[in-house]
Amino acid sequence: MDAFQMAHALESFAKQQGFVAPQAYYIVGQFSLKDAKGGSIYSDEAHLWCRECADALLSAAKPLLPEETQEDHFVCATDAINEDTCPHCMKCGETLDGTVSKYAVDEEVEHYEANPIGENDTINPRQAVEIAMILFAAPNDQDVLKIGRAALQQIEKGETK
């Protein structure tokens, strides 16, 4: 099985478990505000959000923004391409749809070298999607292929969350 077949198998597993990575969003325009209790309300266009968290943050920010700039800030879908980490919502941490960079692949390989997938480990749907991301990004990397094989082996054993 090649990297792309493994990645598709991992995504299929996640989907069968009820998880499909949601669309990534960003909020157009940067703001750094304080709410009435002194809490921080901050975003810049490098931040990724799920739709629900992006809408909630923007709803909290808009009343604090000058009226003439409120329309300059809105939620916009993004492809989250070539991210330096597996894309996650800045607020809730949900795994988002996207692709990863060589840097992210190297970080994931380092993580799995320090924490290899063991015979008693389980693979959850979000982890499966993130491993698929690195397989798509580095299909010829032997370390990445090893991670993909280990994940699929655990899934095949039926040890899922």
Side-chain angles (χ1 to χ4, degrees), residues 9-47:
L10 288 163
E11 288 180 332
S12 291
F13 160 75
K15 188 173 184 178
Q16 289 167 359
Q17 299 296 308
F19 179 73
V20 175
Q23 172 73 50
Y25 293 88
Y26 69 98
I27 299 172
V28 173
Q30 179 177 334
F31 50 82
S32 181
L33 308 163
K34 296 284 183 194
D35 63 18
K37 296 178 183 178
S40 179
I41 299 176
Y42 174 77
S43 181
D44 68 44
E45 292 182 4
H47 291 170

Side-chain angles (χ1 to χ4, degrees), residues 109-121:
V109 167
E110 185 177 311
H111 167 76
Y112 282 106
E113 284 176 349
N115 307 282
I117 297 169
E119 289 190 26
N120 296 320
D121 288 339

Side-chain angles (χ1 to χ4, degrees), residues 3 36 54 64 72 78-79 87 91 114 126-127 130 132 140:
L64 303 172
D72 296 340
T78 182
D79 291 331
K91 173 82 174 161
R126 286 156 181 83
Q127 182 183 16
E130 292 174 9
N140 298 315

